Amino acid sequence: MRDVHSQPPTPTPAADSGQTRTVAADDRLSAELTSVVAGARRRALRDGDRQIDTAHLLHSLLETDPAVRALFDGGQVARLLGYLVQRSIGYGLQWQGAVEDSGALPVVREVAGWSPSAATAMEAALATADRRGARQVGGVDLLLALARDPECRAVEVLRRAGVDAEALAAQAHPTGS
């Protein structure tokens, strides 16, 4: 894991996909995060899962957001994507058909199409952006929120790939929180 100091995201109106309104107002999501959510939704549907879970979000974050990838070294990104691809083709991590609810963090609310852990992570990402004084939520906000739930699927993937999720979760947002 690397400590990367990137420029704050430029506020960009998110596309009105109609798919992110169940978790956050479209105008609160950065363009990258809007793309991440859409990718996670497609991945969940393709995998036959009823809900977006934290591993779907992690997979989409790594594929879509360069600021998220910059927090890891290249070998970690490759290992993470390897585990996530194995999961999507039915090997390795076996969660298909089961609802993710780690119980480690209080669930903010029930959200249709989202696992309780994924919805809670998105709400935590919104709160992180608010604390930073940022109008929009970015991918790093979501990654740090995922890493703070030690029992979620995303953290299981991080651990298996040799990433210290606790150290990742403890990082301040690289854009200055």
Side-chain angles (χ1 to χ4, degrees), residues 81-102:
L81 288 171
Y83 278 111
L84 290 161
V85 167
Q86 285 178 9
R87 180 235 180 156
S88 70
I89 61 174
Y91 297 104
L93 305 172
Q94 299 294 321
W95 300 307
Q96 199 166 27
V99 173
E100 176 188 37
D101 181 8
S102 71

Side-chain angles (χ1 to χ4, degrees), residues 19 37-53 56 87-88 96 113:
Q19 296 179 349
V37 170
R41 184 175 315 289
R42 283 189 303 273
R43 178 164 278 105
L45 289 171
R46 185 178 58 237
D47 292 350
D49 294 329
R50 297 177 315 167
Q51 299 176 323
I52 295 171
D53 68 21
H56 294 125
R87 180 235 180 156
S88 70
Q96 199 166 27

